[in-house]
Amino acid sequence: MPQLTPEQAIEEAKSGRLRPVYLVVGEEHFYRQQVLAAMRKAIVGEGGASLNEDQFVAGEVDARVAISAARTLPMFGSRRLVTVRSVERWDKGDVEDKETKGVAQKPLEQLADYAVAPPDT
């Protein structure tokens, strides 16, 4: 997957040509917030809380919970926004059981498996 600048990611959001998965990283909190704000506006609109938005903090929930939310079909819209903050917390080497394969798998591996073939929504 090609790397994008914050400006390119924001432009994709404004144009409505969104990819199914974005990994927003960087030291500049300002740019991360700008990208997330553009994504949120493009997906759920300007309003407050939405049925099509979930926010998680890695380490406070299992990766399976976030992935399940991302696989949930949107309600009254064409897309869902699922945000997971502090993903590096899942890189501690903790292993979770992956229900579908019956084997233990690290949370970031589960997320990578999801990212290979995410739903368009």
Side-chain angles (χ1 to χ4, degrees), residues 51-111:
L51 295 173
N52 290 327
E53 182 176 14
D54 288 294
Q55 297 180 13
F56 302 102
V57 177
E60 293 180 10
V61 298
D62 291 342
R64 291 179 300 223
V65 173
I67 292 168
S68 177
R71 287 190 173 128
T72 302
L73 292 173
M75 294 185 66
F76 309 112
S78 60
R79 293 185 173 267
R80 291 183 51 76
L81 177 64
V82 178
T83 306
V84 181
R85 296 184 187 275
S86 304
V87 174
E88 67 278 359
R89 290 181 178 180
W90 281 335
D91 196 26
K92 301 282 190 240
D94 297 337
V95 175
E96 298 176 4
D97 290 329
K98 186 172 183 186
E99 297 171 15
T100 58
K101 294 185 181 177
V103 296
Q105 192 176 30
K106 293 180 180 180
L108 289 181
E109 291 172 353
Q110 292 177 41
L111 197 57

Side-chain angles (χ1 to χ4, degrees), residues 8-74:
Q8 290 170 319
I10 291 168
E11 186 55 39
E12 284 188 4
K14 287 180 179 178
S15 71
R17 295 184 325 262
L18 293 165
R19 300 160 197 245
V21 175
Y22 287 83
L23 175 62
V24 181
V25 296
E27 293 182 22
E28 291 291 332
H29 179 73
F30 174 78
Y31 291 123
R32 291 192 320 262
Q33 291 303 104
Q34 293 295 310
V35 170
L36 289 173
M39 298 290 170
R40 186 174 192 284
K41 182 177 179 182
I43 296 168
V44 299
E46 303 255 2
S50 169
L51 295 173
N52 290 327
E53 182 176 14
D54 288 294
Q55 297 180 13
F56 302 102
V57 177
E60 293 180 10
V61 298
D62 291 342
R64 291 179 300 223
V65 173
I67 292 168
S68 177
R71 287 190 173 128
T72 302
L73 292 173

